[in-house]
Amino acid sequence: MSETVKVAVRVRPFNERERKLNAQLVIAMEGQKTYIAQPGSNEKTDFVFDYSYWSHDAFRERPDAYLEPLDDKYADQKKVFQDLGFGLLANCWEGYNCSLFAYGQTGSGKSYSIVGHKTNKGVIPMTCEALFQEIEKKKKENPKNEYVVSCSMLEIYNERVRDLLDKDGHMKEGLKIRESEDRFYAEHLKSDLVQSYAEISQKLDLGAKNRTVAATNMNETSSRAHTVFAIKFIQKIVPAQGKPMTRESTINLVDLAGSERQNATGATGDRFTESKNINRSLHTLGNVINALSEKKSHVPYRDSLLTKLLKNALGGNSKTIMVAALSPADVNYEETLSTLRFAERAKTIKTKAIVNETETDKLVRSLQEEVARLTAELRQMQSGAGATSGKPGSSKEEVDKLQEMLRLSKEDMERMDDTWKQKLEESKRASQQEADEQKQFEEKRKVTPHLWNLNEDPALNERIVHCFTPGNNQIGNGRDGDNPTIALRGVKITKDHAQVKNKKNKITIKPGPDAVILVNGKQIDKPTRLHHNDRVQFAANHLYVVYHPYEHDKNVKEKKPETKVTYDMAQQEILMSTGLVSADDKSKTDILLQEDLIEVLPKLNEANAIAEALGKKVIFEVTLVAPAVMDGLTRTSVFVKMRNLRNNHEWLFDSKQFLERTYAMGDMYNEYLEGVQNTTRPQEEDPFWESDETEVFLGSVHLFPLAAAHLMDYEEALPITNHQGIQMGKLYCKWVPCDANGNDILANYVDDPDELIGKEHSFKLIIVNVRGLPSRFGLVRCQYRFFVEKEISKSLEIAGPHTDFNYVRVITKQKATRQVRFLLDGYTFIRN
């Protein structure tokens, strides 16, 4: 029997960013209904879901940091688990496959609902904990029953599948996705047997650590990866009467990559935007959801690795739940509305789950039937009934043959049982060893100065720890046979990147030749003392925090408060050291600009380092572009200029276009590290290349139509100013009053434009020519949008730095309105 996907939405509290921006609440909930209000208007859109969880306010933090409700409206972690986790477990015990996946914008709270944070456990850990509690209970009720639990964890990044429970993880080539019996699976994916919640917790921590190491070493963005944690549960039930029964179910818990933040500039057309691997999975998931919700005959599961692996969860043998995480703030309105619409489509999808019989169960039953048949036939032959029943004679050879077959079949059954027991025992020993090693390491951390990693995803903080042993500690890339104390892999990590001296509770770091090291946002070039909670960045992407046990204990003893170090805080101080922004910039637009810079600058540094390592003769530079310079901008925005060092040709990308290119850059650099002899790519796939034929922004002019308001002839030579305020040439334009057919009207001056209201009003915009452009530019054209027009008007493309456009456009209003007053103080924005 088919059933629809259950959909829950959950809204989180305002985060620090939204509070700084004085964000307004746009989400409301009532029962199963969720409302979103359009900023600046009273218009609301409502949606109905299976569950609408209000987790925005009406809670308090207990001393153990758990967020508990103050009233019935607030949905805490326990409430979400009771509604969703218990249902998963119930279906799992009945032998059904189950899936739960989280969707939403980066930073919307997906991981909090699924994984949780410390005492605020999410659905995954609470489900695992409850599963083993129930197993222990059922074992006491019937000791003959057997329960086998195994887990696997994989990540999909840039259309590569990585095994997160394998430290090697097939990092280079990724796991292959195979198809069998109308399902897809990851070949050679490691599946570990576990016997307690503590062991599953170890696996989750191991997966998070391997994920962090890979993202750091391979210059990846963790928020762009999908994570699938799968629990395979086998029950071997031995009833008091009747035949033994085996059930197998798989719980897939999926944390999807953050959906894209909207592009502020609206720019499109870059060959690296939206069409490449980094976005393929989410884009295809949207197509699959649409196809299933509209009941189309073709569903494009095969178009991405993610949708292949989620095929059962979305349209096959699974009981499925989706959790959509929502931002409450008006500054994220478009992204939140998109998430709600996605969730609304998902709730129309139907799946058809069946109780699963294991392959092992089929094999055991087959062997049992074979043993029973052989035993009966052997007895029959030994009794001499074979001949009378028409069966072959009971010769000694035949009897011996049957006895041997029976013996082998019984051995096969015993061997299968022994294999399970052996695997369980090996798993138990391995888990115990891991637990002991982790305990020893945690004890070492308490008394040893060390670095812990800082990640944009808080759930991945403190996953990498490097201890400073007494004496000298060498930090380097570990290549060419070197064996440094701390090996870091990444862009511009040198052979002798740094030396850290740990002597008498004093930690000093000394940069190596050509090494880039930032301490608290500032680059150092001499030995520098490190203190507790200092931020240290090595090269472009290794960001750590210092833990100094002696100084920490001293602060506690003296009751000195310690600042909580966050990724944004560390990036903010790096940004301040660039001089691009000031600590006094506190307005909403200032904060948004700083956010954009924090996102772009680390990637820009990486891009320049990769370009240098690969011998690409380009350099990337941050450029701030004001709305007065570029049409379509509502605030000062971050652009990146790519300059060819051979010929000084330049191209300007908005931040999204640039970030899309950095993923391809990272791939090329990883190939370089892996020893690929030739990392050269076709030009259309090379993120460091751009055609000289690509259209570039030369500059803009502001043409004031005051003359048109008074029906006057007017001609002006306007300076063409680029995004840096540099004059690139001059544009010659005219305003000429005319009739609706374009015939010039002379000596028809009006003193007050209000005289035109209610009358036909026509005038010509003439773009005469451009003069003085740099000779490197070939074809040139102008484009503009007049007043309230939505469509952009364009002139013809003309060759040469001294270009005669002679472009004429007649603009007519059949009955002029008070909007004619725009001509008095407005302007038309023309870009070349």
Side-chain angles (χ1 to χ4, degrees), residues 437-448:
E437 290 175 354
Q438 185 62 30
K439 184 177 180 180
Q440 291 175 10
F441 186 72
E442 291 301 325
E443 291 299 320
K444 181 181 179 181
R445 279 188 66 182
K446 293 177 183 178
V447 298
T448 307

Side-chain angles (χ1 to χ4, degrees), residues 706-724:
L706 179 64
H710 295 282
L711 297 183
M712 296 170 52
D713 282 2
Y714 183 75
E715 181 176 350
E716 187 174 10
L718 300 163
I720 301 170
T721 307
N722 73 2
H723 57 279
Q724 295 175 307

Side-chain angles (χ1 to χ4, degrees), residues 82-102:
Q82 287 168 358
D83 289 343
L84 306 182
F86 275 144
L88 285 174
L89 281 175
N91 292 328
C92 175
W93 279 102
E94 291 175 14
Y96 293 105
N97 290 335
C98 314
S99 299
L100 183 146
F101 60 99

Side-chain angles (χ1 to χ4, degrees), residues 719-790:
I720 301 170
T721 307
N722 73 2
H723 57 279
Q724 295 175 307
I726 299 172
Q727 183 172 322
M728 304 294 290
K730 285 193 173 183
L731 184 71
Y732 291 79
C733 299
K734 289 182 180 180
W735 292 108
V736 178
C738 64
D739 60 23
N741 296 319
N743 300 312
D744 293 355
I745 299 176
L746 302 176
N748 203 20
Y749 174 82
V750 295
D751 184 57
D752 185 353
D754 284 351
E755 297 176 28
L756 299 174
I757 296 175
K759 301 177 182 177
E760 181 183 278
H761 181 210
S762 300
F763 53 88
K764 286 189 286 189
L765 167 63
I766 303 174
I767 302 176
V768 182
N769 57 43
V770 64
R771 294 291 185 263
L773 291 180
S775 59
R776 68 176 181 272
F777 296 115
L779 296 175
V780 180
R781 68 174 172 81
C782 297
Q783 66 180 47
Y784 65 92
R785 185 166 28 214
F786 183 74
F787 192 20
V788 294
E789 292 179 339
K790 293 183 179 180

